[in-house]
Amino acid sequence: MTESVHSHSDVVVVGGGPSGLVAAISAARAGAKTLLIEQYGFLGGMATAASVGPFSPFHYDDQQITVGIPQELIERLMAAGGSTGHLKCIPEYGSGATMAYFDREIYKEVAFDMVEEAGVRLLLHSFLADAIVENGRVRGVRVANKSGLQSVFGKVVVDATGDGDVAAAAGAAFQWGRQGDELAQPMTMFFEMAGVDVAALRGYIAAHPADFEWTSVLKSPRPIPREFTQDYFVAQGFKSFVAAAKAAGELELGRDTVLLQSTLREGTIVFNSTRIGKLRGTDADQFTEAEIVGRRQAMSLAAFARKYLPGFANAYVCSTGGQIGVRESRHVLGEYVLTRDDVVEGRRFPDVVARGFFPVDIHDPKGGKGYQEGGSTWIKPKGPYDIPIRCLIPHSTDGLVLCGRNISATHEAHGSLRVMGTAFGIGHGAGATAAVAALSDVAPREVDVARVQKLLIGQRANLDLKGSNSFAATP
Ligand SMILES: Cc1cc2nc3c(=O)[nH]c(=O)nc-3n(C[C@H](O)[C@H](O)[C@H](O)COP(=O)(O)OP(=O)(O)OC[C@H]3O[C@@H](n4cnc5c(N)ncnc54)[C@H](O)[C@@H]3O)c2cc1C
């Protein structure tokens, strides 16, 4: 295979999901020469590659926590006719305070526009092959692509792969899944069905509350474009139909309920319902098996929907994720490990670079249960919590900044911070950290936190440094 040097940058971001693309924009706007590497031919991460959505909250109750570059993205999407903006969930149980629906194809275009306008250089269709490490410091990465093996050097590398691929390649310590049995949240193949009689479906949901674990409707606090003025809702249940179909041997599904919701497009319903547990998205054979089982479950569930669920008689599968969605994998060990208590108590830290707020939402790693005893978990924090810069700094490796869902956190804390609203905010913190480190020629662990915070506030992030909504003491 041909080997070559691709480029030298100040900041190299690996992974173009919500955290990576915001990290790259933040770093480039701060003046750092920035390269963004992505394995696919588009950006967006799970939202575009695995068809996951909508964007879970930017809010804790009515307080908007994620602002700055991520909010700009929402506004750009809305201006391009690609998002409803933030809708309020009523009740919020099972969904969070708000959700924003978006069009995947418009998201891909707006993401390209924003990174290019910021001056970020893109390297697409490039998969991480290895980390380049000298004397314990990451100096860059090697990627495999159509040109062969290419070396990409950077003063600071940001690991936004979701799975901590760069950190693992560099030899950083990590915890896989949860402590003890090392199980992680299950994977899910998303799919959408079009041609649904949504009124019939909603009629059933309204008339049979006992058949559901929870349901919410979504309301816009302001006028939204006329093409998006349909009813938005989410429902988890159809317990009687699932039980009947499973008893008749007519449904291959890893859970005992169906979780579905509206999309941006009328007559189209998205299923967040297949469940593949106990397999690892970081093991090539297990990842392969998960894709096959996930697709089988999706098609089985679609046939079940047509036969059993009101409103689906003429519906068809119009899209599936390009890959199965991976909720959880490596938690890289950082200078600080964010814990369940930090999240649930809404703890504050002086070295905050991002804030979280979503309930601890852990889909049952072992079985098929929803939010029941011994099944999935849903715990609302007492208030928004801080994510300190130390969670972004690997304990054992220099030259690397962690980003998105692979930052240093326990399984339970990750259950909250993993959603896209928070991933965007973490990306913002990681990009600013990497830029300040690279531009001042220091290792990320030696960076001046006050400078990072100043940069973030200059880029309109909400760090709440004055503590006007402080909820609990810093430990
Ligand atoms: C099934 C499922 C349902 C979910 N539902 C919701 C929801 O409704 N709302 C919500 O807000 N959040 C939801 N989430 C969570 C959310 O989508 C993710 O946690 C979030 O996208 C994490 O962002 P990230 O930037 O850390 O990683 P990702 O979104 O995973 O992005 C990582 C990026 O890195 C790239 N990459 C990975 N490895 C490599 C490599 N080795 N080389 C090159 N590129 C690489 C990937 O292609 C991807 O673009 C869901 C997640 C899943 C899996």
Side-chain angles (χ1 to χ4, degrees), residues 112-123:
F112 272 164
D113 287 347
M114 286 183 70
V115 297
E116 282 187 354
E117 286 164 20
V120 175
R121 183 174 176 192
L122 277 168
L123 182 60

Side-chain angles (χ1 to χ4, degrees), residues 5-262:
V5 172
H6 176 270
S7 54
H8 290 80
S9 302
D10 295 321
V11 173
V12 173
V13 180
V14 187
S19 69
L21 74 91
V22 171
I25 293 169
S26 169
R29 286 189 187 174
K33 186 179 169 196
T34 304
L35 181 83
L36 175 57
I37 297 172
E38 167 56 43
Q39 65 173 320
Y40 295 124
F42 51 83
L43 302 174
M46 287 296 120
T48 48
S51 298
V52 161
F55 296 134
S56 288
F58 281 40
H59 297 69
Y60 179 89
D61 291 340
D62 286 331
Q63 190 189 144
Q64 183 158 356
I65 308 299
T66 302
V67 286
I69 297 169
Q71 178 59 23
E72 257 179 64
L73 173 72
I74 296 286
E75 285 161 20
R76 292 283 293 262
L77 281 169
M78 289 172 73
S83 179
T84 54
H86 306 293
L87 305 183
K88 197 169 165 59
C89 297
I90 307 164
E92 67 175 57
Y93 180 76
S95 298
T98 61
M99 294 202 277
Y101 289 85
F102 59 89
D103 180 298
R104 280 192 296 280
E105 302 311 317
I106 297 175
Y107 182 13
K108 289 174 190 171
E109 187 198 7
V110 168
F112 272 164
D113 287 347
M114 286 183 70
V115 297
E116 282 187 354
E117 286 164 20
V120 175
R121 183 174 176 192
L122 277 168
L123 182 60
L124 300 174
H125 295 300
S126 296
F127 195 81
L128 178 81
D130 207 355
I132 301 170
V133 185
E134 288 166 13
N135 303 322
R137 179 165 183 170
V138 177
R139 301 280 175 190
V141 294
R142 201 161 285 124
V143 294
N145 58 27
K146 289 282 189 180
S147 300
L149 271 180
Q150 294 195 301
S151 294
V152 173
F153 294 94
K155 289 182 183 166
V156 177
V157 175
V158 177
D159 187 345
T161 59
D163 290 323
D165 285 355
V166 183
F174 58 83
Q175 164 73 44
W176 210 99
R178 65 186 182 190
Q179 275 187 312
D181 59 12
E182 295 203 330
L183 286 180
Q185 296 204 38
M187 292 183 245
T188 292
M189 172 59 73
F190 262 59
F191 67 98
E192 289 177 5
M193 293 185 79
V196 181
D197 178 348
V198 176
L201 175 63
R202 293 216 55 193
Y204 176 82
I205 295 169
H208 299 84
D211 209 18
F212 293 86
E213 289 184 345
W214 56 271
T215 60
S216 306
V217 293
L218 293 108
K219 298 287 174 204
S220 176
R222 56 183 151 55
I224 54 176
R226 193 192 307 192
E227 67 265 32
F228 301 146
T229 52
Q230 54 163 313
D231 286 341
Y232 293 92
F233 64 97
V234 47
Q236 176 163 303
F238 304 99
K239 291 183 281 188
S240 59
F241 293 127
V242 173
K246 281 196 170 180
E250 292 183 323
L251 178 59
E252 182 183 339
L253 188 66
R255 55 186 284 169
D256 51 16
T257 51
V258 170
L259 169 56
L260 55 71
Q261 59 185 305
S262 43

Side-chain angles (χ1 to χ4, degrees), residues 400-459:
L400 188 62
V401 172
L402 306 171
C403 187
R405 71 172 169 85
N406 56 211
I407 65 166
S408 178
T410 63
H411 164 76
E412 292 81 9
H414 164 274
S416 164
L417 62 83
R418 68 188 182 87
V419 291
M420 287 185 273
T422 316
F424 281 126
I426 296 171
H428 200 172
T433 302
V436 172
L439 294 174
S440 46
D441 253 326
V442 298
R445 79 181 70 252
E446 284 153 14
V447 90
D448 178 354
V449 180
R451 256 185 88 182
V452 176
Q453 292 172 332
K454 194 171 169 209
L455 172 58
L456 284 165
I457 291 163
Q459 292 181 344

